Amino acid sequence: MFDDLQQVGDALRSQQYIATDEISTVVFLADKLGKPLLVEGPAGVGKTELAKAWSGASGKPLIRLQCYEGLDENKALYEWEYAKQMLYTQLLRDKLSDLLAAADTLRAAADRLGEEDDVFFSERFLLARPLLAALLSDEPVVLLIDEIDRADAEFEAFLLEILSDFQVSIPELGTVSAVHHPSVVLTSNNTRELSEALKRRCLYLFVDYPSHEAELNIVKMRVPDLNDKLARQTVDVVQGMRRMDLKKNPSVSETIDWAKALVMLNADSIDQNTLETTLTVLLKHESDVQKARRQLRRGGDDRYESRGRPRSEWN
């Protein structure tokens, strides 16, 4: 669909996603090679947003599988609707009686019934979950397998057939192959080590917190009502907080939320009172909030400054 890296970067930007050269390159190669893309990095740096942006940029619908502990193939692949199957059996009871009436033996009756397996074991009784829906889709899709590190190793192993051959084995139907190969994006917050087998099947991309300038561009794009001075101060504070020893660093999405909050509060600048009263937009653990407040009360807000800006800029 895209001929070069510039087109990829422009297409992602049109979806309000600012991609680095590395991101554009790996996404381009994953698309051209038909390989799944494994994106690792801290929580909140835009891994899921990358899949959403690629879906919008390529015009492919997004199908998302959210992983969690205890997820198994039945919940991710399909459910067999036994109640619907039984209902069909009841409704077709008279037809079945007519079919079997002419059979002289049990074996003959079983053979005749076996010839009708396609009626009772077919896709009409499958309730497709995200993985099967992506394989059976009549149009190419982007399949997002989000936070794969939350799932068990057994589920990770189950994915290997899908990621290698874009097919899956269903006991009632046999092997089901993809109508169109989906563009697969797996994300991981790196809470556990993923298997080498999974990594071999994917192109790999690590997404870290953005640089000061990159995050500033993101804020300006996503919160256009924020003036330039306040946008820069917002990023200064967030980047400074990430240098603190916090339980959870502010994510890019939380930077954007904070910037929107400052617009809603009609803030002209980030003074100490504004910062203290809106800290919980950025920090989601009380220990982190208290640590940040202690820094401020000790006059530690200079830690939030970057690139040698004078403290007077904050007041």
Side-chain angles (χ1 to χ4, degrees):
M1 177 176 292
F2 299 106
D3 298 325
D4 55 44
L5 304 183
Q6 183 64 45
Q7 287 184 1
V8 173
D10 291 344
L12 291 175
R13 182 180 285 272
S14 73
Q15 301 299 311
Q16 293 196 315
Y17 189 96
I18 299 177
T20 63
D21 289 343
E22 181 184 10
I23 290 174
S24 296
T25 299
V26 177
V27 168
F28 176 79
L29 292 175
D31 183 62
K32 291 299 184 182
L33 297 173
K35 298 272 287 184
L37 173 60
L38 172 60
V39 188
E40 284 193 323
V45 294
K47 302 184 297 296
T48 299
E49 288 301 314
L50 175 58
K52 292 179 180 179
W54 183 242
S55 168
S58 61
K60 299 177 182 178
L62 179 72
I63 295 179
R64 179 176 181 174
L65 172 64
Q66 179 63 51
C67 298
Y68 54 87
E69 186 177 353
L71 177 66
D72 60 27
E73 57 185 270
N74 289 331
K75 296 172 184 174
L77 188 59
Y78 74 96
E79 289 185 23
W80 190 259
E81 295 189 287
Y82 292 104
K84 185 177 180 180
Q85 188 183 42
M86 290 297 295
L87 178 61
Y88 268 59
T89 304
Q90 292 296 323
L91 294 174
L92 296 175
R93 182 170 49 191
D94 293 340
K95 288 290 185 182
L96 289 173
S97 297
D98 294 342
L99 176 70
L100 301 178
D104 298 329
T105 65
L106 287 175
R107 182 181 296 276
D111 289 342
R112 289 199 173 192
L113 192 59
E115 292 172 359
E116 306 299 328
D117 277 352
D118 289 346
V119 175
F120 298 101
F121 294 94
S122 66
E123 291 182 14
R124 65 166 55 92
F125 300 115
L126 283 183
L127 180 60
R129 294 304 186 191
L131 293 182
L132 186 60
L135 295 179
L136 296 180
S137 175
D138 291 331
E139 58 181 328
V141 301
V142 173
L143 172 61
L144 168 60
I145 303 176
D146 211 11
E147 298 184 308
I148 180 60
D149 53 322
R150 289 181 176 269
D152 301 326
E154 291 78 8
F155 180 74
E156 185 183 325
F158 159 72
L159 285 177
L160 297 181
E161 181 183 10
I162 295 177
L163 299 180
S164 296
D165 304 318
F166 296 101
Q167 66 179 33
V168 69
S169 301
I170 298 177
E172 295 86 353
L173 299 179
T175 300
V176 176
S177 299
V179 178
H180 301 280
H181 284 193
S183 301
V184 183
V185 178
L186 302 95
T187 72
S188 168
N189 293 333
N190 223 5
T191 59
R192 70 172 177 85
E193 186 69 25
L194 301 177
S195 70
E196 292 300 321
L198 179 72
K199 290 183 175 181
R200 275 199 310 273
R201 287 161 172 78
C202 304
L203 295 187
Y204 179 78
L205 175 66
F206 184 83
V207 178
D208 206 348
Y209 292 112
S211 66
H212 185 282
E213 205 60 34
E215 192 160 19
L216 182 60
N217 290 334
I218 292 169
V219 169
K220 287 181 177 180
M221 174 180 286
R222 300 295 292 271
V223 193
D225 293 335
L226 197 67
N227 66 61
D228 288 347
K229 175 184 175 182
L230 196 52
R232 189 170 293 277
Q233 288 181 338
T234 299
V235 175
D236 287 347
V237 171
V238 173
Q239 294 263 327
M241 283 186 175
R242 291 189 189 130
R243 293 192 292 271
M244 298 174 61
D245 185 21
L246 299 177
K247 186 173 182 179
K248 180 189 176 298
N249 286 328
S251 67
V252 177
S253 61
E254 286 160 341
T255 305
I256 294 169
D257 287 343
W258 193 41
K260 290 178 180 177
L262 294 173
V263 172
M264 296 293 291
L265 293 172
N266 296 315
D268 294 322
S269 63
I270 303 174
D271 55 27
Q272 182 165 323
N273 181 66
T274 300
L275 184 54
E276 283 204 32
T277 55
T278 58
L279 269 178
T280 53
V281 179
L282 287 172
L283 306 177
K284 304 304 169 62
H285 293 276
E286 181 60 19
S287 60
D288 289 345
V289 173
Q290 293 302 326
K291 179 177 290 187
R293 283 178 176 160
R294 285 195 298 271
Q295 290 283 346
L296 290 171
R297 289 164 186 166
R298 290 203 303 262
D301 47 339
D302 59 337
R303 290 191 61 176
Y304 302 136
E305 298 172 23
S306 64
R307 305 190 181 187
R309 293 184 180 82
R311 184 172 175 178
S312 59
E313 254 189 56
W314 295 95
N315 300 310

